[in-house]
Amino acid sequence: EGLTELSAYQVASIRMLFAGLVLMPFAIQSFKKIPKEKMGLVLVSGIIGNFFPAYLFCIAEIKIDSSLAGILNSLTPLFTILVGLLFFKTTINKQKTLGVMIGFIGLCLLFATGKNISFQNLSYAFLVLIATFFYGLNVNMVGKFLKNIRALDIASVAFASLILPSAIILFSTGYFNRSFTEPGFQMATFYSIVLGVVGTSIASILFYMLIKKSTIVFASMVTYGIPIIAVAWGIYFGEAISLLQIASFFIILAGV
């Protein structure tokens, strides 16, 4: 809905900007509570876990449906396992290896179900995969290095640090040159703000809490609910989803 009147960079920038503004009052106190040696990791968590994915998802949804983006997001647990294996020395057994292979098969079938398969559309879908890789990297990093820091402290400082770069990008895209009296422009801005406040700042606090209270793989499994919600909203807004896409999603789900 935000992309109907705004560019991908504007939607993502508004999302990050308002996520940071909402949490700014908490960030002032949280900044004092985070150990100095952990501050760099908190800032990196904000960048790889929220900033980059926000732009990647918005750019991807210029060409792909939100339903497909939501389904691809369900690969986050697989990337959590792979990133843990490659970068965090997490042990992987035969069961996990088999799961990754099944999930990859589901991913390939999902791409094959597209009605208009083109290199361009596949490249935009690949942006979502990069975002899920960043999610998997962030989950591992938070779970290993930031376990003893409050979820609110991590989220508030991480998002507050993104206010300035988000505002600069938003300004450079010509957003403030638009007429704020246009109804379509107002609604697109409103949806982008909701995405930032509800779908980013509040959701991230809950997610960081879950990481701290459970294992990183279990926490990443919340992405299983995203495709269901994304497909439901997609259908509501007139997007089409085939039975083969649904079958592919369940194969991915079976793999994880």
Side-chain angles (χ1 to χ4, degrees):
E1 287 300 291
L3 289 171
T4 56
E5 292 288 337
L6 302 175
S7 71
Y9 289 97
Q10 289 172 341
V11 173
S13 296
I14 293 173
R15 174 185 181 181
M16 290 292 98
L17 178 62
F18 278 87
L21 290 175
V22 167
L23 293 175
M24 176 59 83
F26 302 100
I28 297 174
Q29 293 297 323
S30 296
F31 188 82
K32 303 175 183 177
K33 297 178 181 179
I34 298 176
K36 292 182 179 180
E37 65 273 14
K38 299 288 186 179
M39 185 61 68
L41 290 173
V42 171
L43 299 180
V44 171
S45 176
I47 294 172
I48 65 174
N50 297 282
F51 190 75
F52 286 160
Y55 287 92
L56 290 169
F57 265 94
C58 283
I59 295 171
E61 290 190 48
I62 295 174
K63 292 294 183 180
I64 67 174
D65 287 342
S66 59
S67 301
L68 177 58
I71 291 174
L72 290 173
N73 203 19
S74 65
L75 288 166
T76 297
L78 291 180
F79 278 110
T80 300
I81 294 172
L82 289 175
V83 169
L85 171 66
L86 296 174
F87 302 106
F88 293 86
K89 298 181 180 180
T90 303
T91 56
I92 183 169
N93 53 33
K94 293 181 180 179
Q95 184 179 359
K96 290 182 179 179
T97 303
L98 179 61
V100 171
M101 293 174 63
I102 293 174
F104 183 74
I105 292 172
L107 172 63
C108 294
L109 290 175
L110 182 60
F111 282 136
T113 60
K115 295 179 181 178
N116 299 312
I117 294 296
S118 66
F119 177 77
Q120 185 184 44
N121 289 349
L122 286 177
S123 64
Y124 277 85
F126 186 70
L127 295 178
V128 177
L129 296 185
I130 297 175
T132 56
F133 168 79
F134 281 136
Y135 285 152
L137 180 59
N138 183 53
V139 169
N140 276 280
M141 188 182 72
V142 172
K144 185 171 184 178
F145 300 114
L146 302 176
K147 198 80 172 180
N148 297 322
I149 300 177
R150 286 198 316 164
L152 180 59
D153 294 336
I154 298 174
S156 59
V157 172
F159 283 113
S161 68
L162 301 176
I163 291 177
L164 183 58
S166 300
I168 292 174
I169 295 174
L170 187 62
F171 180 80
S172 65
T173 60
Y175 173 82
F176 295 101
N177 295 329
R178 297 281 300 274
S179 173
F180 286 83
T181 59
E182 300 175 19
F185 180 74
Q186 292 175 353
M187 289 305 298
T189 299
F190 169 74
Y191 280 118
S192 301
I193 292 174
V194 171
L195 180 60
V197 176
V198 181
T200 307
S201 59
I202 296 177
S204 293
I205 292 173
L206 296 174
F207 187 60
Y208 282 129
M209 289 173 63
L210 184 60
I211 294 175
K212 292 165 66 63
K213 291 180 179 292
S214 65
T215 64
I216 56 176
V217 174
F218 180 83
S220 67
M221 287 182 178
V222 298
T223 53
Y224 292 157
I226 294 176
I228 300 172
I229 304 301
V231 169
W233 278 113
I235 292 174
Y236 177 80
F237 283 105
E239 294 180 357
I241 183 165
S242 66
L243 291 176
L244 286 176
Q245 285 179 315
I246 295 175
S248 300
F249 163 63
F250 278 108
I251 292 175
I252 293 173
L253 198 62
V256 186

